[in-house]
Amino acid sequence: YDKALDLFDEMQRKRNLTPDVVTYNALISACDKVGQWRKASDLLEELVDKGLTPTAVTFNSIIAACGTAGQWKKALTLFRTLERQRAPGRPQIASYNAVIGACAKSGETTTA
């Protein structure tokens, strides 16, 4: 996770490369692996601020990160945002799996 963030910083500052949605998706997924849902949220915000459009994969990754951290309400809010969003980010089976998993991990079985 830390190395991924270092490389992200290096790519922008030292190499003058502009990250794309795939880059952000990879970082958000890395955040999930280490329970850093707040950093994942910050990255989503940064992605949007840079004029990029989050995809279903973006949302799936951040919903999973929220689920790992027990943030089921945030995961559900993000899923609802994905539902309202126009292409390219429509809910996929993985989106439903991620939000169901987030709710279930927090004991919200009736919500799931």
Side-chain angles (χ1 to χ4, degrees):
Y1 162 79
D2 290 329
K3 185 63 174 170
L5 290 175
D6 289 345
L7 288 170
F8 180 69
D9 185 54
E10 178 182 322
M11 103 182 242
Q12 293 178 90
R13 292 189 190 347
K14 293 181 183 176
R15 307 281 183 224
N16 201 30
L17 297 171
T18 304
D20 61 8
V21 174
V22 175
T23 307
Y24 279 98
N25 290 350
L27 280 173
I28 291 169
S29 181
C31 291
D32 173 32
K33 304 300 184 254
V34 295
Q36 294 292 326
W37 73 274
R38 284 190 180 103
K39 181 62 177 176
S41 291
D42 291 346
L43 289 166
L44 175 63
E45 187 176 317
E46 182 179 318
L47 178 154
V48 172
D49 287 348
K50 289 191 175 194
L52 299 171
T53 303
T55 64
V57 172
T58 310
F59 279 96
N60 297 347
S61 295
I62 194 165
I63 289 167
C66 290
T68 298
Q71 299 295 318
W72 69 272
K73 288 182 182 178
K74 177 75 172 169
L76 197 55
T77 298
L78 288 162
F79 180 78
R80 296 292 181 225
T81 301
L82 175 59
E83 284 184 313
R84 290 188 305 273
Q85 181 175 301
R86 303 275 178 206
R90 301 301 276 168
Q92 305 168 339
I93 291 172
S95 309
Y96 285 93
N97 290 343
V99 75
I100 289 168
C103 292
K105 285 178 185 175
S106 294
E108 292 296 321
T109 55
T110 55
T111 305

